[in-house]
Amino acid sequence: SASFSIFPKEHPKKLMTCNEWDGLPKLPVPPLQQTLDMYLKCMGHLIPEEQFKKTKVVVEKFGAPGGMGEFLQKKLLERSEHTANWVYDYWLEDMYLSNRLALPVNSSPVMVFPKQNFRSQSDSLRFAAHLISGILEYKSLIDGRALPVDYARGQLAGTPLCMDQYNKVFTSYRLPGAKMDTLVAQKSTVMPEREHIIVACKNQFFVLDVVINFRRLNEKDLYTQLERIKKMSDIEEERLPPIGLLTSDGRTQWAEARSVLIKDSTNRDSLDMIERCLCLVCLDEPSGTEQTDTNRALLMLHGGGTDKNGGNRWYDKPMQFVIGADGCCGVVCEHSPFEGIVLVQCTEYLLRYMRGSPSKLVRAASMSELPAPRRLRWKCSPDIQTFLMASADKLQRLVKNLDMNVSKFTGYGKEFIKKQKMSPDAYVQVALQLTFYRCHGRLVPTYESASIRRFQEGRVDNIRSSTPEALAFVKAMGNSSKITVCSLKIELLWTAIKAQTNYTILAITGMAIDNHLLGLREIAKELKLEKPELFSDTTYATSIHFILSTSQVPTIEEMFCCYGPVVPNGYGACYNPQMDHIIFCVSSFRDSAETSSDLFVKTLEGCLKEMQDLCIKCNTEAKPADSTKRMDGTTKVMKNGSKA
Ligand code: COA
């Protein structure tokens, strides 16, 4: 309708023109010395003194005039001249494609929708048909380059962001490989192609054509087809083994199983259909567990294991929309083609679409002339059965191992923090540091994703939040004796917040150290040079073992994002700050005796309250919001990019 828009109000309704974002600046290569100095600054307080002394020598040698560092830096600068983004391929391989861990929990983030109230099976199928209509609508916006351009918000707001990631949402596939995976991208065609979705139901996979004879199926047709699929999945005699389980295994194991699977032409055809689909729609069975936020997050992350919906997935595909008969719904996302922020934009569009354009379904399904959906067939040799058993076993262990806590902190939200004249994101990061310190008595290398979409083909770099300034603050807060007075604590909090904010600004302007160090390491490898000592040093290994892996994923719609830890003894901490509350999703592994998600969250709540008390008592900067001058020395930049 004319007045209804499914884009949020504050979104500039500007259409994406190719040149606008193709014309974004290239990601800069930071100065070598700056990166090396920062590396030392980031690690000095996190490792033993003796080790640090050695590392300092190694770093100085690397950075010496005429040394290895200068040579590699020159090579990187050359590389940046003839690529759109000098780090993109290195980063993609390092972050995702060469990672051998299973995708569920270890790599694939999920969005969890509010619990839906389906009264019957037809309710959930209606929901699915409506959702698929939205997906097709969204896909046509992407294809027509008609999505509004995203603009940076928060720090350094106002600049347009690279829209490249959107093109990969429905067109890519992560192919497992023996040593490394490949991110396959389908070429876009001008001609309206036959398009299909794969519907997973009772561990069976069905091809749902969504464009037939150049016509996109309407919601009624989609519903009819989904009903047919549901019926087909009920026929017990026709059930095939849960092949999807193979995709939940480690990448090398899945690659091996796949190489056996494709020897048979039936399997090859089925794989081909899945690899070329737009996305999966997983119609899940009721899980039988209480639908708390934490349980829904768990079910989204791993499907609840083999006896629940663990086999009703195909993890290589970027978008899997899960619709549980019991109302547990969300999206499972293969992370390599795009970031969580793009996932949020897409799912928010869909939820708004579903709310704003009422279902066009009449109660009864239409009698349809459409060809019946097709079940994908599998020929399972004894070898494949063996692989399946191993994959099932692996998934069960993963399910048992994941320790998750989703919690809504209702004490306060962004509004309170802004009134303190502090960056909400920096504040939350400092709170996470304080929490980790309280739980473990030390700080550890921390990852916070920072978007670098201001640059061509930009993905993310890392904000190393465990700054020396954060350590000084958390130590002062840990001191229960009255010696550390309020005024000193607030001063240390301010210093920590400023350090965090400055690092954030460096990262989003392409000046952080992680991508740069990775680039130097990889270009040396590419040139077949001996590995520089900097990268074989223990400190380097420690620096990239991210015990705390964090990410801000804010949403407008009611939903939340979560993911697992990235190392066995670590935490994943995803947060969604809202005006008056913050949702935290904390994950860890039960195998690790060091970690506990419940304890972490409980401690975090205490820390947030203490920091609030401290601010209320001592933050003289907190005035009613009229001033634009901030304590961190930056000036508020308005959304249109002008300085206030
Ligand atoms: N005083 C008052 N207000 C302040 C302030 C201060 N000192 N500093 C910031 N604010 C305001 C901002 O203007 C902004 O206002 P808005 O709500 O009107 O937009 C708000 O507080 C939030 O800003 P801030 O908390 O500083 O963070 P941010 O939004 O700039 O986010 C990052 C920081 C690093 C999270 C962001 O830049 C980023 O990179 N996000 C992407 C992360 C990502 O990729 N996640 C997914 C990974 S899969």
Side-chain angles (χ1 to χ4, degrees):
S1 75
S3 62
F4 176 74
S5 165
I6 31 192
F7 295 112
K9 286 269 176 324
E10 65 267 38
H11 235 290
K13 284 197 200 66
K14 230 165 125 190
L15 294 189
M16 170 171 72
T17 61
C18 174
N19 294 339
E20 192 168 6
W21 55 273
D22 286 346
L24 290 177
K26 277 190 180 185
L27 180 70
V29 180
L32 179 65
Q33 217 53 56
Q34 177 182 307
T35 293
L36 297 180
D37 291 348
M38 257 175 82
Y39 173 58
L40 291 176
K41 190 184 171 212
C42 288
M43 292 307 293
H45 56 295
L46 303 180
I47 52 172
E49 217 178 303
E50 274 310 301
Q51 187 186 334
F52 185 62
K53 273 192 198 146
K54 279 190 211 147
T55 296
K56 237 177 129 205
V57 175
V58 171
V59 170
E60 271 160 19
K61 190 177 148 213
F62 182 81
M68 185 58 119
E70 277 191 0
F71 174 75
L72 296 175
Q73 175 79 356
K74 198 172 119 252
K75 291 290 166 192
L76 267 192
L77 288 166
E78 282 168 24
R79 180 182 167 88
S80 84
E81 270 169 34
H82 60 80
T83 49
N85 183 317
W86 58 270
V87 82
Y88 187 88
D89 290 342
Y90 291 156
W91 175 88
L92 189 66
E93 283 177 17
D94 181 71
M95 187 75 135
Y96 297 112
L97 304 182
S98 56
N99 190 338
R100 304 288 77 204
L101 293 177
L103 296 183
V105 179
N106 300 303
S107 177
S108 297
V110 302
M111 292 297 314
V112 183
F113 291 173
K115 178 176 168 350
Q116 304 296 314
N117 292 311
F118 299 141
R119 286 152 307 166
S120 61
Q121 176 184 294
S122 44
D123 269 5
S124 64
L125 295 187
R126 268 194 201 96
F127 184 90
H130 204 184
L131 184 78
I132 295 171
S133 287
I135 294 170
L136 298 178
E137 199 72 37
Y138 192 70
K139 166 91 172 30
S140 65
L141 287 176
I142 297 176
D143 291 346
R145 296 206 151 208
L147 277 187
V149 180
D150 291 339
Y151 281 80
R153 308 195 47 188
Q155 300 294 337
L156 312 183
T159 50
L161 302 176
C162 177
M163 298 294 284
D164 212 28
Q165 294 177 31
Y166 286 93
N167 298 328
K168 303 188 178 123
V169 175
F170 297 111
T171 54
S172 29
Y173 186 82
R174 178 161 165 181
L175 201 63
K179 293 222 167 68
M180 200 171 80
D181 293 358
T182 315
L183 184 57
V184 185
Q186 246 158 261
K187 295 200 180 53
S188 66
T189 49
V190 189
M191 285 294 289
E193 236 195 319
R194 271 178 67 100
E195 285 187 326
H196 66 276
I197 280 174
I198 296 292
V199 178
C201 190
K202 296 207 165 86
N203 303 334
Q204 310 294 296
F205 298 95
F206 299 89
V207 180
L208 168 57
D209 285 310
V210 290
V211 176
I212 296 180
N213 294 333
F214 303 106
R215 187 180 70 84
R216 221 166 78 180
L217 297 204
N218 61 31
E219 215 176 300
K220 217 154 103 184
D221 293 336
L222 289 167
Y223 177 80
T224 308
Q225 298 295 69
L226 289 171
E227 261 201 329
R228 289 163 119 177
I229 287 174
K230 192 88 204 165
K231 286 212 182 85
M232 288 164 82
S233 75
D234 285 337
I235 311 170
E236 299 217 7
E237 312 80 75
E238 293 203 11
R239 284 218 191 120
L240 298 165
I243 292 290
L245 279 179
L246 296 174
T247 70
S248 73
D249 208 329
R251 300 309 288 170
T252 307
Q253 290 83 347
W254 165 217
E256 210 186 325
R258 188 178 177 280
S259 68
V260 176
L261 207 56
I262 55 166
K263 286 187 183 143
D264 177 275
S265 67
T266 305
N267 295 339
R268 233 176 8 248
D269 289 348
S270 295
L271 283 171
D272 184 57
M273 285 315 280
I274 299 179
E275 288 161 18
R276 287 189 300 109
C277 75
L278 299 181
C279 61
L280 263 90
V281 169
C282 309
L283 303 175
D284 274 13
E285 297 294 296
S287 69
T289 46
E290 200 197 333
Q291 300 267 306
T292 59
D293 287 349
T294 300
N295 284 343
R296 285 188 350 269
L298 285 166
L299 288 169
M300 228 29 81
L301 282 161
H302 53 47
T306 47
D307 51 341
K308 297 204 166 75
N309 296 293
N312 211 37
R313 301 282 183 276
W314 199 273
Y315 282 100
D316 298 357
K317 200 65 203 165
M319 295 292 257
Q320 302 193 75
F321 296 91
V322 176
I323 298 156
D326 54 6
C328 177
C329 299
V331 192
V332 184
C333 152
E334 199 290 289
H335 211 334
S336 63
F338 47 85
E339 249 57 71
I341 302 301
V342 167
L343 173 67
V344 170
Q345 293 291 337
C346 170
T347 46
E348 296 210 316
Y349 175 95
L350 296 175
L351 292 183
R352 276 193 299 275
Y353 172 91
M354 292 173 76
R355 206 177 44 234
S357 69
S359 172
K360 294 179 191 74
L361 284 180
V362 281
R363 281 222 150 251
S366 65
M367 280 304 290
S368 178
E369 299 300 312
L370 296 167
R374 187 155 67 81
R375 184 195 302 257
L376 292 181
R377 306 272 160 198
W378 305 103
K379 294 271 169 60
C380 269
S381 63
D383 279 352
I384 293 296
Q385 295 288 2
T386 311
F387 280 119
L388 267 176
M389 258 151 41
S391 301
D393 189 50
K394 180 89 136 289
L395 181 65
Q396 291 308 80
R397 274 183 280 143
L398 196 59
V399 169
K400 278 210 189 95
N401 201 4
L402 182 61
D403 175 8
M404 185 83 213
N405 183 310
V406 177
S407 151
K408 185 167 161 181
F409 173 76
T410 52
Y412 55 95
K414 271 201 300 191
E415 195 170 24
F416 169 78
I417 308 170
K418 283 189 193 176
K419 281 200 181 123
Q420 305 308 307
K421 299 269 180 284
M422 294 171 182
S423 145
D425 188 69
Y427 184 100
V428 172
Q429 285 293 328
V430 172
L432 290 170
Q433 291 299 315
L434 179 57
T435 306
F436 192 92
Y437 189 78
R438 285 273 165 85
C439 293
H440 301 280
R442 65 190 168 121
L443 292 190
V444 286
T446 303
Y447 184 98
E448 182 197 1
S449 44
S451 171
I452 48 171
R453 281 175 61 206
R454 283 171 175 75
F455 303 101
Q456 282 177 45
E457 293 180 14
R459 295 291 300 263
V460 283
D461 203 340
N462 177 15
I463 305 168
R464 291 185 166 266
S465 309
S466 47
T467 60
E469 292 84 353
L471 182 61
F473 169 67
V474 302
K475 277 187 171 163
M477 290 296 277
N479 199 336
S480 58
S481 73
K482 295 274 179 309
I483 304 168
T484 317
V485 290
C486 180
S487 59
L488 178 59
K489 282 184 185 166
I490 193 79
E491 197 186 312
L492 290 172
L493 173 59
W494 264 116
T495 313
I497 298 261
K498 281 183 214 170
Q500 177 68 22
T501 309
N502 288 340
Y503 204 136
T504 300
I505 290 172
L506 278 179
I508 61 180
T509 53
M511 285 289 145
I513 66 170
D514 282 59
N515 281 347
H516 191 196
L517 289 173
L518 173 74
L520 294 164
R521 187 187 85 193
E522 289 306 300
I523 206 152
K525 204 194 272 171
E526 210 169 86
L527 296 167
K528 301 204 166 38
L529 299 170
E530 198 188 328
K531 194 190 231 181
E533 209 184 337
L534 176 66
F535 303 115
S536 48
D537 182 28
T538 342
T539 303
Y540 182 70
T542 308
S543 80
I544 55 174
H545 184 84
F546 294 110
I547 292 183
L548 194 52
S549 164
T550 73
S551 186
Q552 182 192 143
V553 185
T555 64
I556 297 171
E557 296 292 318
E558 188 193 334
M559 59 178 169
F560 57 87
C561 175
C562 52
Y563 54 82
V566 296
V567 296
N569 59 339
Y571 291 100
C574 190
Y575 51 98
N576 181 350
Q578 298 292 325
M579 288 313 274
D580 63 353
H581 67 270
I582 309 172
I583 300 168
F584 287 99
C585 303
V586 174
S587 57
S588 60
F589 289 121
R590 295 190 195 281
D591 274 357
S592 161
E594 291 166 44
T595 55
S596 156
S597 299
D598 288 350
L599 181 67
F600 192 93
V601 167
K602 206 160 166 263
T603 311
L604 175 62
E605 283 169 358
C607 291
L608 286 167
K609 287 203 186 93
E610 263 180 66
M611 284 168 66
Q612 182 187 32
D613 289 345
L614 178 64
C615 286
I616 291 173
K617 249 200 317 213
C618 310
N619 188 15
T620 51
E621 294 307 317
K623 297 186 208 96
D626 59 354
S627 160
T628 52
K629 189 78 191 146
R630 293 165 174 177
M631 269 298 284
D632 54 24
T634 59
T635 306
K636 176 154 173 90
V637 181
M638 307 307 281
K639 285 211 188 71
N640 62 10
S642 68
K643 290 220 167 78

